[in-house]
Amino acid sequence: MNGFEDKVGIVTGASRGIGLAIAQRLVDEGARVVITARKPQALEAAVAQLGGAEHAVAIPGHAADPDHQDEAVRTALDRWGRLDLLVNNTGINPAYGPLLQLDLDVARKILDTNVVAALSWVQKAHAAWLGEHGGAIVNVGSVAGLRAAPGIAFYGASKAALLHLTEELAVELGPTIRVNAVAPAVVRTRFAEALYTGREEQAARGYALKRLGEPEDVAGAVAYLLSDDAAWTTGHTMVLDGGATLVDGSAIGG
């Protein structure tokens, strides 16, 4: 499989979980990737898993930090001379509970990381390469952004904003840049552990496919949306939920 031969991508939040699975899928299909996350040690392990410096390079930092974004984009161009793909995977949810008790500073932090930072990554990638050469972008949202998600409501609100941002960017950046999104339900990652730990079988009963998602399930969909096979697809949100929203309208995602 070499659908991304000679392509270079940035995948944010890629030291583990969904982000690492996406980076792995891209590398397996011939791409080289810059991966980002906060913890250098975890990123080093991820680079080793991806096959080493020939295939991946790690840039540690906070996803919302403009200097960190600049470094990642510059590294892609300095190391491999191009930047074709961008995956905004980083997302945070440091709050659980009703909206009326939500600390507004926490709300601002969620929006800054989950929405504003994604736009900033797009702006910087566009200015550095995509604007002149074209490419593809995928934003990782959540089914929590499609319907009410009690307990993680503001996280859901931020993901709803990200999905709408995807549509707006698709209109502005076409025809040379495609922008799509995925909206997973609960995926078995450390990030989503609180939603299924100790009750995975019970949680999976609400899914038509009777299982929670795996990071590779998301990675395959993201790879499709980034690929030439999706050349006539932009502004689309692909729901990845094992049929949960068909069976249980209250299903939420990670």
Side-chain angles (χ1 to χ4, degrees):
M1 299 174 67
N2 59 356
F4 297 110
E5 193 72 36
D6 298 325
K7 297 290 181 68
V8 175
I10 292 175
V11 184
T12 71
S15 62
R16 55 183 172 86
I18 290 172
L20 180 54
I22 293 169
Q24 185 70 67
R25 180 63 180 262
L26 296 181
V27 167
D28 289 346
E29 295 196 29
R32 290 159 293 181
V33 294
V34 175
I35 60 173
T36 78
R38 287 177 298 136
K39 298 180 180 179
Q41 189 172 358
L43 278 174
E44 289 175 11
V47 168
Q49 179 177 322
L50 293 169
E54 181 181 349
H55 303 284
V57 61
I59 304 296
H62 192 286
D65 178 2
D67 291 337
H68 166 64
Q69 298 166 1
D70 287 335
E71 183 182 3
V73 171
R74 184 171 59 248
T75 298
L77 296 176
D78 289 348
R79 179 70 67 94
W80 292 304
R82 59 189 301 144
L83 175 56
D84 309 280
L85 314 168
L86 171 64
V87 180
N88 281 310
N89 173 66
T90 299
I92 63 168
N93 182 36
Y96 184 89
L99 287 170
L100 291 180
Q101 296 176 13
L102 179 64
D103 185 309
L104 295 184
D105 285 336
V106 172
R108 294 182 184 97
K109 182 178 180 180
I110 292 172
L111 280 178
D112 191 40
T113 301
N114 293 2
V115 184
V116 179
L119 176 57
S120 183
W121 279 102
V122 172
Q123 290 176 339
K124 291 178 182 297
H126 184 274
W129 183 270
L130 294 178
E132 182 176 353
H133 302 278
I137 299 167
V138 172
N139 297 320
V140 178
S142 167
V143 295
L146 301 175
R147 60 196 65 226
I152 57 170
F154 201 79
Y155 171 78
S158 75
K159 290 300 187 176
L162 181 64
L163 298 182
H164 187 74
L165 179 67
T166 297
E167 296 178 354
E168 298 287 359
L169 287 169
V171 172
E172 287 196 17
L173 301 184
T176 58
I177 302 171
R178 297 183 301 102
V179 188
N180 291 288
V182 293
V186 178
V187 177
R188 292 196 327 116
T189 64
R190 190 183 307 173
F191 179 80
E193 278 180 341
L195 299 176
Y196 67 86
T197 298
R199 58 183 192 90
E200 183 173 338
E201 184 177 344
Q202 177 186 354
R205 287 191 200 124
Y207 291 65
L209 296 182
K210 304 305 179 188
R211 70 172 178 87
L212 304 183
E214 299 289 347
E216 292 75 17
D217 294 321
V218 182
V222 171
Y224 164 71
L225 291 171
L226 292 173
S227 76
D228 291 341
D229 287 338
W232 208 42
T233 301
T234 197
H236 176 69
T237 294
M238 183 180 292
V239 177
L240 310 173
D241 69 347
T245 51
L246 300 175
V247 178
D248 180 4
S250 67
I252 56 177

